[in-house]
Every structure is written in structure tokens, then in C-alpha cells.
Amino acid sequence: MKIYFFFIFLLSFSIRLFFIIKFPETGGDFDIYSIVAKNILRGCGVSLSDPLSAECIAHFGGNHGPGYDAFIATVWYFFNESNNAVRIIQNLIYSSFIIYLLIAVQRFINNKNFLILLGIILSLSPLLVAWPRYVQTETLAIAFTIFTLSELLFSLSEKKVRVISIALALTLATWIRLDNIFLTIPVAICCLYIHGFKKGFLYGASIACLLSLSWGAWTIRNISVKLPSLIPTNMIMPDGSRSPVGYLNWTKTWITHEYEKPGALWGINRKNYLNINIPEYAYFSKNEKIKVNILLSDLKKVDQMAFPKHIDEEFELLAKNKRENFPFKYWVVNPIKRIYKMWSNPFSSFGWPNEIPSVGLSHSERLVVAKGNFNMLAHIIKKYPYRAISKATNAFYKFSLMLLFLYSLFYIFIKNKKGILYFLGLVSISYLLARTTFFSLNGYFETRYLATAIPFMEVLVAFCIYARFNKNFKKSF
């Protein structure tokens, strides 16, 4: 391995280690991951039962599949339940796959300066660098996304899809986060691009079969333990109790911005109903407002108790009524708003320790700022200058990357560029569109869900800029 790869690995690992040591966090879903991990360690298996009790009720896998829970349990087993060990090891995995990606890129651009520059970008990317400080799925989800992208590049360079290694990458990615199943779309495009329809279909089917082996075994397990559902709900309760699906469906009829979620959703999976706050524009009629206020009043009477089934069913009826009477708003207008707000939000932290504390900015005030109240924004900048500067840095990088990505797509598809550029354009835009559309339709539209798309964008932009200024770049592969 070339020596500069080693230094890029050290750069990637060291900068993330700084965040780990200086700003360690667990994150909002840690209690779920830790409960499952503790149950695995005590021999109970994947369960959300109280680890201190004798109860052992099987569960699908916490928030996603059981991959991240098992990863935590494995690290805890060898390092005395150390969360820092979890952070450091996921950092090692991430940094290793950056080098793996550079080796794949080297098949197409064997230019030392380019590889070093791309390595620095991937190592220091403001949108990716801070996630390892959390004990959350993001770091490994991005790492295995990079693994998958690398395998696509290796396959193209060899003119043959690497079935086993791609299946392994997809298996690891999906077991960490279920939404990584959308990586199968660029994989499918890769199969068709390299081998044509008939042969490409066979390669894709082979990958699908290998991917289904682990998930098939897990489904058999879930059937054998008689889980009530073979797929997880969209809000996992830490104690394994029933999720308020009807209420969640009702919120999806009006929520279009991630800063609307705290007032309506934060606290629900902790059975904290007293602070639920619903804005006026959530209601499509006076009758709906009256009905919801009655339901919320009843709900607050059972604070810290399970979400009553009869109240949840009433919310489901309200959601069904709005879907049927306002289909265009529900299926078209709201998703478009979510896509726009998800990609245009300039205030996301992307894992950085620059969140404005709740005592300094309430959930309702955050939404006011997000909607363009410049007086309040100026006040926050003055009060928290360093946090504001870091957020501005993230936003500048994000919007610059978006503009360069759009330029790259124009350069590829309008200017009729072929070969590796065309291939990267296809797999990148297909992955972005699939993820963005899914999240916008299903109410999962926090900006952090864009993180796994960033490596695709950065690699495509880097290739296009190199091709733009290097006329001798080989474009046909």
C-alpha cells in the first residue's frame, strides 16, 4: 500500500478521535441499542425486555435490524461495556473503508495528487466527520455505504460484477440500517450497465439471493419466536410496548419540516405526553381541531403510561380521512415540501457539537428561525457565535457540494460524457432520488438521513472536476 494512504488513514482516524474524546455523546436512540446489547450479553438475545428482569421477550431488532446492537454487544464483551471503545472501533472501520475506496478510485485515476486530495475531502468532510462521537448507526451506515460504492467501482474496472463482495457489503449495510436497502438500486444499475439486461439480471439475482440468506434466517427466527409483526414499526418503544401507529400516521398528514417534529413527536416513545404541542396549520378543519384537542387532553391524563389503543385508533381515523379527502396535498404537496426543506435546511449540525441548547432556543423558536425570522436568527448568532460559525461552515460546504453535484450531472448527461462519469452519474442520482423520495413519502425527513448519500456526491464531483481539467482522462471503461 502506498505511504500516503497510511497518512490519509491517520488523518481520518485522528480528526474523528478528537471528536470522540472531546465531545462524546450517546444519542437519542442509545437507550434502545443499549437495552438490546445488554440482553444479547446476558444470553437473552435480541429483546427490549428490561435487562435487569427475568423477562426475555424477543424483538425484531430495536430501531433497525439487530446489526448495530450486536456490534455494541461484541465490543462491550471485549472492552468492559466501554462506549468509547464502540466509538473508536467504528472510527477504525470507517477510516479503513476510506482507504478501500481510494484503492478502487485508483483503478481509474492513478494520480497521486488527486488521490491525496480526495482522501483529504473524505477524511475532513464537514458532513461526515463528527458522527463517530455518537453511539449511533450513522458511522457504520456511512462506512458500509462507502464499502458498497467501492465494490461498484471495482466491478466496473474489472468489467464484471463482484457478486460475493457486493452481497457482503449490502448485508452489512442493511443489518446496520434497514433504509440501506436502497443501496440495491445502484447495485442493480451496475449489473445492467456492465452486463446488459439478461446477464445483468442474473448477476443481480445472485446478489439478491446471497443478501436474502441472512435476512431469510432472521425471518425464520422471528417466525419461530412468534413475533406479532415480521417488520418493525416506524417508532420503536424502548420498553417494547405497542407503538402509536395511528398517531404517527396523523402527524404525517401535516409535518413537513424536521423542526415540527419535536413538539409533536419527541417524548412520545418515552410516554411523555404533557409537552405535546400541535401548531394551528396542522388542522384542516375546525372539527379536526376540536377532536384532536379532546384526544390530546385524554392522552395527557395517562402521562407516563402506554399510549391508549382507543386514542390511537381515533387518530388513525383522522389520518385516513385526511388522506382520502386531501390526496394531492398528502401524496404530492407535502412530500415536495419535505424534499425541499430536507435539502435546503442550513441549520443542521450533521453530528457536530454545535446544537443550540433548548434553554437558549425552544422547539417553537427553532421552527420560527427555520422559516426565516432574521431578527431571531441574528440574536442566536450573537448569543452563540462559535456554534453559529460551525453551522454556517456545514451549510456552506453542503450547498457548495449540492451545486457542484448538479453541475456534474449537467456535465455528464447534457454534455454526453460516457464511461466512468456516466456510470457514477447513474448510480449517484438513482441512490439520491430513491432515498429522498422514500423519506419524503414516509415522514422520515431529518437532514441526517442524507448522510449516506454524501460519499456518492463527493466522489462524483471529484471525478467530474478531474475530467473537466484533464483532457487525457480515460472516460471509456
Side-chain angles (χ1 to χ4, degrees), residues 35 38-39 42 49-55:
I35 287 172
K38 289 176 181 177
N39 279 322
R42 74 181 176 108
S49 298
D50 184 351
L52 299 178
S53 71
E55 190 176 54

Side-chain angles (χ1 to χ4, degrees), residues 235-256:
M235 178 182 280
I236 302 299
M237 308 300 283
D239 60 357
S241 61
R242 177 183 175 276
S243 300
V245 177
Y247 176 77
L248 296 175
N249 287 338
W250 176 76
T251 63
K252 287 196 295 185
T253 64
W254 60 270
I255 290 182
T256 60

Side-chain angles (χ1 to χ4, degrees), residues 427-456:
V427 297
S428 299
I429 195 62
S430 66
Y431 183 57
L432 264 69
L433 288 176
R435 282 187 68 86
T436 303
T437 302
F438 171 79
F439 287 128
S440 66
L441 289 173
N442 288 277
Y444 308 108
F445 46 87
E446 295 178 33
T447 313
R448 65 189 178 95
Y449 295 144
L450 302 177
T452 57
I454 302 302
F456 278 87

